Amino acid sequence: MRSLLSGLLLLLGVATSAEAKCAGEWLDVLPAGEVELPKEPHVLVRLGGRLEKHDPGKDLEWTAGAQHVGVKVVTSFKGYSQQVSLVKPERALQPGKWTLAFKKDPKLAELAGRVVGTWRVSEEADSTPPALTGTPALKDTSWQEYGCGPGSSITLSGAGVNEPHAFIEAAVTVGGVTTVAVLGRRDDLVELGHGMCSGNFDLAPGTKATVVLTPIDLAGNRGAKSAPIDVTAPGPKP
């Protein structure tokens, strides 16, 4: 049943950065495992479906053999049927291979020991802030009706960073209230919207928002902010 659903979603064209996943649970992490991390690494963890209720700061840990290091949540964002958290270890990691996983705790039942990601950690200490390489702007918006609900895409371009694996913090202000989320990107693109069943921001059609982007690298250094970008959330055509 699950494979049939996945195939249907691909046929509907929903396989984007806000990929619709309507059933069960899912998790992913950035950067990919082949990327070497600095000794105080920041990684982006996405928990969706049944997993979004878990607290990365309580339920995850860094491990290397007999070594166990707790997780500190730098920032967390409750998106559309998912939780996205920027996390780091409670102390600098020793060089070597490290795994981020759910704690081997009976309270976690089936998740105990489940791996989120594995990387090699170097001795590198990075204090250089990243920088945007372009001028962020609204690229396009779109609204599509699907079988289980709408997909609302709000794509910003110009969000390239001079460090290839850096994240983007998006501060979205609506009616004087600002919500902050740290997100992944595809080259110089950042997706603020959502697919049929999951994604980042769930802005009602016609909502006017102002967005400011800030690059954050794998060591947690913050770069300069972008100028504010005005966006209007898409909706169904009349």
Side-chain angles (χ1 to χ4, degrees), residues 1 7 21 24 28 33 37 58 96 100 123 126 146 162 184 187 203:
M1 178 66 183
K21 298 182 180 179
D28 55 44
L37 300 182
K58 294 180 179 178
L100 181 64
E123 296 182 359
D126 178 9
Y146 298 115
N162 64 348
D187 299 324
L203 300 178

Side-chain angles (χ1 to χ4, degrees), residues 6 14 71 149 158 164 178 185 189 194 236:
S6 299
V14 192
V71 167
T178 300
R185 57 190 173 84
L189 301 179
H194 61 81

Side-chain angles (χ1 to χ4, degrees), residues 25 30 36 86 94 139 164:
E25 61 190 40
L30 291 174
E36 189 172 79
L86 185 67
Q94 295 296 315
K139 182 178 187 290

Side-chain angles (χ1 to χ4, degrees), residues 1 7 9 15 22 27 31 39 53 87 95 98 105 107 110-111 123 141 148 159 165 167-168 179 181 183 194 201 234:
M1 178 66 183
L9 296 180
C22 294
L27 65 84
K39 63 183 181 180
K53 66 182 180 181
V87 306
W98 284 85
D105 186 331
K107 295 178 181 178
E110 297 178 359
L111 292 175
E123 296 182 359
T141 64
C148 297
H165 307 293
F167 313 113
I168 289 290
T179 302
L183 308 173
H194 61 81
F201 290 88

Side-chain angles (χ1 to χ4, degrees), residues 37-48:
L37 300 182
K39 63 183 181 180
E40 295 190 66
H42 289 58
V43 299
L44 194 64
V45 178
R46 184 176 69 138
L47 302 176

